[in-house]
Amino acid sequence: MRKSFLFSYSGGADDWWNEIGGSKQWQSGPTYYILSASYALVSLVALVQLVRIQLRVPEYGWTIQKVFHLMNFLVNGLRAVLFGLYKSVLLIKPKALEMLLMDLPGLLFFSTYTLLVLFWAEIYHQARSLPTDKLRPAYYIINGFIYFTQVCIWIFIRVSRSPVAVEAARIFFSVISFGTALGFLIYGGRLFIMLRHFPIESRGRQKKLEEVGWVTGICCTCFLIRCLVLAVSAFDKDADVDVVNHPILNLIYYMLAEIVPSALVLFILRKVPPRRVSDQYQPIK
């Protein structure tokens, strides 16, 4: 019987956790369908927001804001499908294919939210009259390197079939998550401080200050949670979230690390851009 590091203490909670872990009712019950429905709802919200933005400013093409909502739609939609078919997905052999299906949305989630870091970095650099020409190439290079490295890890897992390769994959994702949290902290913090010291008081400034502060806090927290859980799961098999007999741990982890943060960020960034040209709303070239 397996138990999580989150419930490793003895007593009633431990017995309760073991009972759930060994219960066929829980393993085949509604937990994964709840996750699937939650992801589907977030995906739908992102799609609706994307359509609203497109209808408001169709002339701007694919902006960072539109790409962000499109990727949210894709990431959450893919998660919804995977958890809806969890009985098949989580039991796929070989292990490399299962990890590919479960890790790919995590990579896309990383790319989606680092778009916000890129957007804030561009705003900060423009406001400080710093060069911005290297920011987008850096975003593409970093993402390309991470995807290439992850593909190499998947191939290594398939060829070697060694548990060390699986541990390496978890550690790699943990490092990525920590780096993303650090990126939000650096550029979200810089932008927050810059807005706070902006000399002109206005309602728009205050709303933007709150927006940056909340999104920074939410994204830092969710990526640090991912970092911690993945780091622990690399060395403790009982902490692995992507297994059938951890229904509650899966629910808690994905709710805290992806679903709730995504829903909150989409809510905070729900305002569509004005029809007039804005310096903060530039098309992706």
Side-chain angles (χ1 to χ4, degrees):
M1 202 73 67
R2 302 177 69 182
K3 58 185 179 180
S4 166
F5 73 100
L6 295 174
F7 295 90
S8 58
Y9 53 86
S10 60
D14 187 50
D15 295 337
W16 173 81
W17 185 259
N18 286 334
E19 182 180 351
I20 290 177
S23 170
K24 292 184 178 180
Q25 181 179 0
W26 275 99
Q27 292 175 17
S28 61
T31 307
Y32 296 100
Y33 296 120
I34 291 173
L35 284 172
S36 178
S38 300
Y39 275 112
L41 180 60
V42 176
S43 180
L44 179 61
V45 170
L47 179 61
V48 170
Q49 185 69 352
L50 174 62
V51 172
R52 289 180 64 214
I53 297 170
Q54 178 61 25
L55 292 176
R56 174 64 68 90
V57 284
E59 65 274 13
Y60 286 117
W62 284 102
T63 63
I64 287 182
Q65 190 178 18
K66 290 180 183 178
V67 173
F68 174 76
H69 285 88
L70 174 63
M71 292 185 69
N72 259 297
F73 164 69
L74 295 175
V75 170
N76 289 283
L78 182 57
R79 284 286 196 204
V81 172
L82 291 175
F83 280 115
L85 302 174
Y86 79 96
K87 290 182 180 179
S88 301
V89 174
L90 296 180
L91 297 177
I92 284 178
K93 302 297 180 183
K95 180 69 175 178
L97 181 56
E98 177 204 333
M99 290 191 66
L100 186 152
L101 291 174
M102 296 305 298
D103 290 346
L104 181 59
L107 287 173
L108 294 175
F109 187 85
F110 160 80
S111 297
T112 300
Y113 282 86
T114 48
L115 269 177
L116 283 180
V117 178
L118 171 64
F119 184 54
W120 288 351
E122 289 185 339
I123 293 175
Y124 179 81
H125 279 238
Q126 289 172 0
R128 295 294 186 185
S129 299
L130 299 172
T132 61
D133 56 311
K134 295 182 180 179
L135 293 176
R136 293 196 182 190
Y139 171 82
Y140 298 135
I141 290 171
I142 291 172
N143 274 265
F145 171 76
I146 287 173
Y147 279 79
F148 175 77
T149 304
Q150 185 60 49
V151 169
C152 292
I153 291 175
W154 287 331
I155 294 173
F156 181 58
I157 292 173
R158 180 68 181 94
V159 173
S160 68
R161 300 181 181 180
S162 169
V164 175
V166 177
E167 293 174 4
R170 299 296 183 213
I171 294 173
F172 181 63
F173 260 95
S174 179
V175 172
I176 291 173
S177 299
F178 180 78
T180 307
L182 192 61
F184 271 104
L185 188 62
I186 292 173
Y187 279 105
R190 286 180 175 179
L191 192 57
F192 183 86
I193 293 172
M194 185 183 73
L195 288 170
R196 193 169 185 178
H197 290 87
F198 197 69
I200 302 175
E201 288 288 340
S202 67
R203 182 181 178 184
R205 167 189 169 276
Q206 186 61 33
K207 290 186 68 175
K208 184 60 67 175
L209 191 66
E210 293 175 357
E211 176 185 300
V212 172
W214 277 108
V215 172
T216 298
I218 291 168
C219 292
C220 276
T221 301
C222 85
F223 278 102
L224 286 176
I225 290 173
R226 294 168 70 91
C227 173
L228 175 62
V229 173
L230 291 169
V232 173
S233 68
F235 304 102
D236 183 0
K237 291 178 64 178
D238 291 337
D240 190 0
V241 291
D242 292 329
V243 290
V244 176
N245 55 340
H246 273 180
I248 298 300
L249 181 56
N250 273 281
L251 182 65
I252 294 172
Y253 171 71
Y254 285 105
M255 280 290 182
L256 293 180
E258 290 187 1
I259 296 173
V260 173
S262 295
L264 290 175
V265 170
L266 288 173
F267 175 76
I268 294 170
L269 303 179
R270 67 191 181 280
K271 184 179 179 181
V272 296
R275 293 185 184 278
R276 60 186 177 82
V277 177
S278 172
D279 291 335
Q280 295 182 354
Y281 196 77
Q282 299 293 334
I284 291 179
K285 298 179 180 179

